Amino acid sequence: MCGIVAYVGKNSARKILVDGLKRLEYRGYDSSGIAILNKESYLAKAVGKVAMLEERVWKDKPEGYVGIAHTRWATHGKPTEPNAHPHTDCSRQVFLVHNGIIENYLPIKKRLLAAGHKFASETDTEVLAHLVEEAYKGKLEAAVQRALQQIQGTFGIAVLHRDHPDQIILARRGSPIVLGIGKEESFAASDTSALAAHTDQVIYLEDNEVACIEAGKVSITTLENRPVSRGPKLLEVSAESMERGKYEHFMLKEIFEQPEAVENALRGRLNHSEGVAKLGGLETVLDRLQQARHLIIVSCGTSYYAGLYARYVFEALTDLTVETELASEFRYRKLNLRQGTVVLAISQSGETADTLAALREAKRKGALVLGLVNVVGSSIARETHAGVYCHAGIEVGVASTKSFTSQVTILALMALLIGRGRDLSYEEGISLIHGLEEIPGQMREILKKSSQIRKLAEKYNSAEHFLFIGRKYQYPIALEGALKLKEIAYIHSEGYAAGEMKHGPIALIDPEFPTLALAPEDGAYEKVISNMQEIRAREGRIIAVTTEGNDKLGSLADDVIEIPRSNDILMPLLTVVPLQLFAYHCAVLRGCDVDKPRNLAKSVTVE
Ligand code: G6P
């Protein structure tokens, strides 16, 4: 979603800011803007890609060593230039960019209008620029603190004032802000990927903190002006991991990085002698975890499907009762926590607003709250009692791929850890460990089929609709495969539990409505075959994903993609790969913007 970059130092700000915005493009946005201070102030905005803004900035060549920039994902008001950030006050002294939502902006706007303030946009953000103007009495930091004290909602902001051309004020509540410290220069951004090219020394701002950055200097206070002392941490994201390398798209690169991502998820986490997993991040809560009876998993999007997978796996390997819930719905349910309820939040970014709100609610009610997160130091990672990192590396493509397979791998490890503390035998544990160790090599075999899958995409990409079916462990994969195809190739796709298909979707089946059937030879295989027969009887075309050497499909499928055999529980790690490649190739063939699909954002920080 929206992105922020800020720079103050010894170098010209324009290139650093525009490059920073490009690094944040992957988050999803629809307009952008930049402000640079010098003797004159410079403000430019553009609708559409950052390249449009870049063109304008290169033409204007604004001088200046301090500036802020923003990519906006529209919430209040359409993506237009007036609505793009930075926003200014009446006298164009204050320049402000904002991520998040100001919930009480309407009454504030009404009061400010009555007091004579002039507004130029339909955004909630603009009230903040006017509040800073109103509160300003010579000290910018104090004015920002006073302005923010009137705000309900979430914010990550960066503010410039023409009277203070050597400093930038930043503040955070709910929307991340990271400060980067260099030699005689300082940076700030909503995401470390915009900082990695410049420095490896970062400070994560906490909620309700305000920072003042000057060239090479940082000071932090609370909103109430109490000083905060926090030293920098080493940033682990490298600038190289943000490059596409030989791949045409980040999504393809990330699909191909999956064997390595699974290896990283497993590294140091397998105990062969006891047939169990070792998850250091859960050690402090292991006793409580072993007493738990009830697990609620909350997440959104692809992470939600990883949660649905976990339900089957935890129930198979442990005696826990497991519920999986969309984070955005979880908060509307009456939460009847029993003694020993554990809530697990799954999130690639660690910033998804609904997931964060769900875990806060669960924490307030006294549950043990765990996180499974990819981005180190993110809000969810910091707010949970304990958790596990995916270590999948930065994921840039909006459509989640390697994060999903990392999540699935670690969820299997978590279930193994808890299961071995209960009834699961050593034999079952070690067989799972051996299965997991084979997965990276098996994934590499599947990735070799990319050109075969591209041929299938050539055959099927003109379909307007697609059905994905699977049962048990493969049901969440059917949902994930359908999500991939709709989000990047814009083909309407439905993921369905194969057994449920005859209660509705089968009415749609005809020669123009193909189905992708997940039919590895697992415990649900025979049943899926019956469902495929039902589709065949209605002249539906079928692509089947099945296990190598299965020659029993006969004329049931028009096309077959074979995957290596594994333990039933682990087969989803393999079946999902051809589905990702299929969606990718369909999207490329349909001319879609694979890494930045329309209307979507990588990290959804609004509720
Ligand atoms: C957005 C992204 C999805 C992601 C979902 C949940 O919708 O486009 O790829 O699955 O958010 O994000 P999280 O970071 O919480 O896993």
Side-chain angles (χ1 to χ4, degrees):
M1 257 174 188
C2 307
I4 292 176
V5 194
Y7 175 76
V8 51
K10 56 188 179 193
N11 290 309
S12 165
R14 65 174 185 253
K15 183 164 185 332
I16 293 171
L17 293 174
V18 171
D19 285 352
L21 287 188
K22 286 195 203 153
R23 302 257 182 209
L24 295 180
E25 275 191 294
Y26 78 97
R27 292 169 64 100
Y29 69 100
D30 38 45
S31 53
S32 58
I34 187 167
I36 293 176
L37 287 188
N38 203 344
K39 287 187 199 82
E40 296 298 315
S41 57
Y42 173 80
L43 179 65
K45 300 179 180 187
V47 173
K49 301 282 175 206
V50 170
M52 317 282 282
L53 180 73
E54 185 179 25
E55 211 179 292
R56 198 165 303 173
V57 173
W58 284 176
K59 198 160 114 270
D60 298 342
K61 298 197 173 43
E63 295 299 336
Y65 303 94
V66 57
I68 57 178
H70 189 261
T71 48
R72 171 173 186 256
W73 190 85
T75 56
H76 295 67
K78 288 192 175 137
T80 60
E81 284 193 21
N83 287 339
H85 304 206
H87 289 289
T88 63
D89 59 337
C90 302
S91 51
R92 240 176 103 140
Q93 296 290 304
V94 177
F95 297 83
L96 183 144
V97 295
H98 166 230
N99 291 354
I101 289 187
I102 298 171
E103 286 161 7
N104 59 339
Y105 85 102
L106 276 175
I108 296 177
K109 187 166 177 176
K110 212 165 142 197
R111 179 180 71 69
L112 289 166
L113 280 168
H117 287 260
K118 299 270 178 295
F119 279 77
S121 78
E122 304 156 276
T123 64
D124 53 336
T125 299
E126 195 183 350
V127 297
L128 255 178
H130 292 272
L131 285 177
V132 173
E133 174 184 32
E134 189 183 56
Y136 181 70
K137 296 195 175 59
K139 284 205 169 126
L140 183 56
E141 196 170 355
V144 172
Q145 287 167 343
R146 275 197 294 276
L148 291 176
Q149 280 159 10
Q150 302 172 55
I151 291 298
Q152 284 160 21
T154 55
F155 52 81
I157 58 165
V159 192
L160 290 179
H161 195 291
R162 288 191 61 182
D163 290 350
H164 303 271
D166 51 357
Q167 61 176 225
I168 306 170
I169 306 297
L170 301 122
R172 162 194 170 132
R173 182 193 293 153
S175 282
I177 293 284
V178 195
L179 314 175
I181 305 149
K183 207 166 163 226
E184 293 172 59
E185 54 186 357
S186 298
F187 309 81
S190 49
D191 179 325
T192 50
S193 50
L195 303 180
H198 304 289
T199 178
D200 60 1
Q201 295 295 308
V202 297
I203 300 179
Y204 294 91
L205 223 53
E206 299 279 351
D207 276 354
N208 299 310
E209 287 181 351
V210 180
C212 174
I213 60 169
E214 297 180 5
K217 256 170 60 183
V218 170
S219 64
I220 306 175
T221 61
T222 64
L223 268 187
E224 293 76 31
N225 202 30
R226 279 192 296 278
V228 173
S229 136
R230 186 172 318 119
K233 283 188 173 170
L234 187 69
L235 177 64
E236 283 168 13
V237 176
S238 69
E240 295 75 61
S241 61
M242 292 290 296
E243 306 297 335
R244 275 193 281 111
K246 63 178 181 184
Y247 294 97
E248 207 182 325
H249 296 97
F250 277 108
M251 182 181 176
L252 190 63
K253 176 179 176 234
E254 287 155 5
I255 291 173
F256 274 79
E257 281 172 351
Q258 290 181 109
E260 205 185 314
V262 171
E263 278 160 3
N264 289 341
L266 296 176
R267 184 158 298 123
R269 289 173 167 166
L270 302 176
N271 175 341
H272 292 81
S273 60
E274 291 177 41
V276 70
K278 280 189 292 191
L279 295 169
L282 297 182
E283 254 154 40
T284 53
V285 296
L286 207 50
D287 285 349
R288 277 179 81 184
L289 208 47
Q290 290 301 10
Q291 303 302 317
R293 310 252 49 93
H294 180 207
L295 175 67
I296 306 178
I297 302 175
V298 287
S299 41
C300 302
T302 289
S303 297
Y304 172 67
Y305 297 145
L308 276 183
Y309 163 82
R311 188 172 70 188
Y312 291 96
V313 176
F314 276 92
E315 286 178 353
L317 303 186
T318 77
D319 56 356
L320 282 166
T321 304
V322 187
E323 284 179 74
T324 298
E325 180 64 282
L326 289 164
S328 53
E329 287 300 315
F330 175 80
R331 54 203 310 189
Y332 299 113
R333 289 178 56 199
K334 182 166 168 283
L335 191 54
N336 294 323
L337 288 185
R338 303 178 213 148
Q339 184 139 33
T341 296
V342 175
V343 173
L344 170 65
I346 306 177
S347 173
Q348 185 285 129
S349 62
E351 301 294 347
T352 302
D354 283 317
T355 311
L356 199 51
L359 83 83
R360 285 180 181 153
E361 180 61 10
K363 222 169 149 184
R364 210 171 58 80
K365 296 254 166 77
L368 171 65
V369 179
L370 308 178
L372 173 52
V373 169
N374 190 35
V375 177
V376 175
S378 55
S379 301
I380 293 175
R382 284 180 291 136
E383 292 199 26
T384 39
H385 294 118
V388 184
Y389 278 123
C390 290
H391 296 311
I394 187 159
E395 188 177 70
V396 176
V398 165
S400 202
T401 52
K402 64 174 178 173
S403 295
F404 178 74
T405 38
S406 291
Q407 288 166 348
V408 165
T409 304
I410 293 168
L411 288 162
L413 290 180
M414 285 172 90
L416 172 64
L417 173 68
I418 299 174
R420 286 287 291 131
R422 302 178 185 207
D423 290 339
L424 197 72
S425 69
Y426 171 80
E427 284 69 28
E428 288 167 304
I430 197 72
S431 134
L432 203 67
I433 287 179
H434 288 151
L436 280 164
E437 286 175 321
E438 282 182 17
I439 293 289
Q442 294 175 320
M443 278 179 161
R444 288 190 178 99
E445 290 305 309
I446 300 171
L447 291 168
K448 287 185 193 153
K449 299 183 188 233
S450 182
S451 42
Q452 178 205 335
I453 294 168
R454 183 179 160 102
K455 291 210 175 72
L456 289 182
E458 282 164 7
K459 184 167 167 189
Y460 288 94
N461 82 81
S462 57
E464 287 307 315
H465 311 277
F466 237 100
L467 181 65
F468 287 71
I469 56 169
R471 272 182 189 244
K472 200 174 173 184
Y473 299 117
Q474 298 297 334
Y475 166 47
I477 303 305
L479 297 173
E480 172 61 5
L483 178 66
K484 287 281 110 31
L485 195 62
K486 75 183 99 169
E487 65 183 345
I488 61 162
Y490 313 144
I491 297 176
H492 164 235
S493 349
E494 301 239 16
Y496 244 79
E500 186 65 13
M501 183 202 55
K502 54 189 166 298
H503 298 291
I506 200 164
L508 300 168
I509 295 298
D510 66 20
E512 303 308 315
F513 198 132
T515 297
L516 194 147
L518 292 161
E521 291 166 288
D522 61 7
Y525 174 72
E526 299 297 339
K527 296 275 194 279
V528 176
I529 294 297
S530 307
N531 300 132
M532 287 167 66
Q533 260 147 0
E534 289 154 10
I535 291 172
R536 232 22 190 176
R538 274 99 195 153
E539 295 181 24
R541 289 184 293 162
I542 297 180
I543 307 176
V545 177
T546 191
T547 21
E548 269 161 12
N550 175 18
D551 52 10
K552 300 188 292 288
L553 286 178
S555 61
L556 248 193
D558 297 84
D559 293 284
V560 175
I561 305 171
E562 291 192 347
I563 56 145
R565 269 161 215 273
S566 181
N567 188 311
D568 286 11
I569 288 179
L570 302 179
M571 222 107 74
L573 285 165
L574 302 177
T575 51
V576 74
V577 179
L579 272 51
Q580 296 164 339
L581 284 168
F582 182 68
Y584 171 78
H585 289 304
C586 284
V588 171
L589 289 163
R590 287 166 69 101
C592 304
D593 189 345
V594 174
D595 286 332
K596 292 177 224 99
R598 68 183 178 212
N599 305 339
L600 297 179
K602 179 75 186 154
S603 169
V604 178
T605 47
V606 295
E607 289 170 17

